Amino acid sequence: MSIPVIWCSPNPDGLTAACKDAALRGIAAAGREAEPVQLNALSVERCRVCQNGYGECKEKGSCVIQDDVAALYQKMVKAEAAVLITPVYWHDLSEPLKALMDRIRRMETAHNHYLKEKPCIFMAAAGGSGRGTSYCMLNMEETLSHIGMIPRDRLPVTRFSREYMLKAVEASAKRLCEEL
């Protein structure tokens, strides 16, 4: 099964895209297939906090919103691992990834548990000062702990560390696949 490399940035030539490319190279070097998923190209609505705060996500493990989240969630469920890459915006995850993770968290913690103990790696790519990278990584770590996914690596990449961290991203993705 292909490993989804979920990334979100409107800039196809920026640091986040470079992290995605490095992860794809690492997965290929391990002899595995990867599928890049650019969240900005998908329809990912934010959680509506249905009914009393939980709707179908708690009762059925699904979401009432008809967008691209259900298909992407199924890709994550079927895959052996996942790679998550976000640009850092105001010390936090990008809005598309935050929306995706919020909705998956509701389905996973309240009902499904399909992603529990699924290995992943995640990256926070900061093109500016880099100061918000650690806060962004902490927020992603917290979200993944609610879902139950197991981060095998956490990679902060800034414009200052780009050269050597992209090599680390590639090595990390390769290692993730070798451990599967």
Side-chain angles (χ1 to χ4, degrees):
M1 177 47 77
S2 185
I3 296 171
V5 178
I6 302 166
W7 68 289
C8 42
S9 173
N11 184 355
D13 300 316
L15 184 58
T16 306
C19 290
K20 177 255 312 172
D21 292 339
L24 292 172
R25 285 192 303 273
I27 293 167
R32 298 284 184 146
E33 291 184 29
E35 179 182 356
V37 178
Q38 211 262 10
L39 279 183
N40 295 69
L42 301 179
S43 173
V44 178
E45 293 184 33
R46 68 171 181 77
C47 177
R48 295 180 187 158
V49 193
C50 300
Q51 298 168 11
N52 64 350
Y54 280 98
E56 282 190 21
C57 55
K58 184 174 184 178
E59 302 299 320
K60 299 179 182 177
S62 59
C63 183
V64 298
I65 302 171
Q66 299 298 310
D67 61 4
D68 294 323
V69 168
L72 180 52
Y73 180 45
Q74 285 308 306
K75 284 181 189 189
M76 292 176 72
V77 168
K78 291 177 183 175
E80 293 180 272
V83 176
L84 304 162
I85 310 165
T86 185
V88 178
Y89 294 148
W90 296 283
H91 302 99
D92 208 351
L93 307 163
S94 68
E95 288 79 353
L97 187 58
K98 201 180 320 179
L100 174 69
M101 298 308 286
D102 283 346
R103 289 184 44 209
I104 288 174
R105 175 173 34 196
R106 285 178 172 272
M107 291 183 283
E108 279 292 307
T109 59
H111 191 276
N112 294 341
H113 313 292
Y114 300 142
L115 298 177
K116 187 175 183 176
E117 298 193 19
K118 185 160 305 244
C120 66
I121 58 174
F122 66 88
M123 287 151 252
S129 70
R131 287 192 309 257
T133 309
S134 58
Y135 290 109
C136 179
M137 306 265 309
L138 179 65
N139 291 338
M140 179 59 102
E141 183 84 35
E142 184 71 19
T143 299
L144 291 172
S145 73
H146 293 165
I147 293 170
M149 292 181 80
I150 307 297
R152 295 283 178 87
D153 214 344
R154 303 141 181 93
L155 299 144
V157 184
T158 70
R159 64 185 176 114
F160 307 109
S161 66
R162 177 185 178 120
E163 184 179 331
Y164 66 87
M165 284 304 295
L166 289 178
K167 293 174 187 172
V169 167
E170 187 172 339
S172 178
K174 183 179 181 206
R175 177 66 184 220
L176 173 71
C177 292
E178 291 170 345
E179 292 177 352
L180 295 176

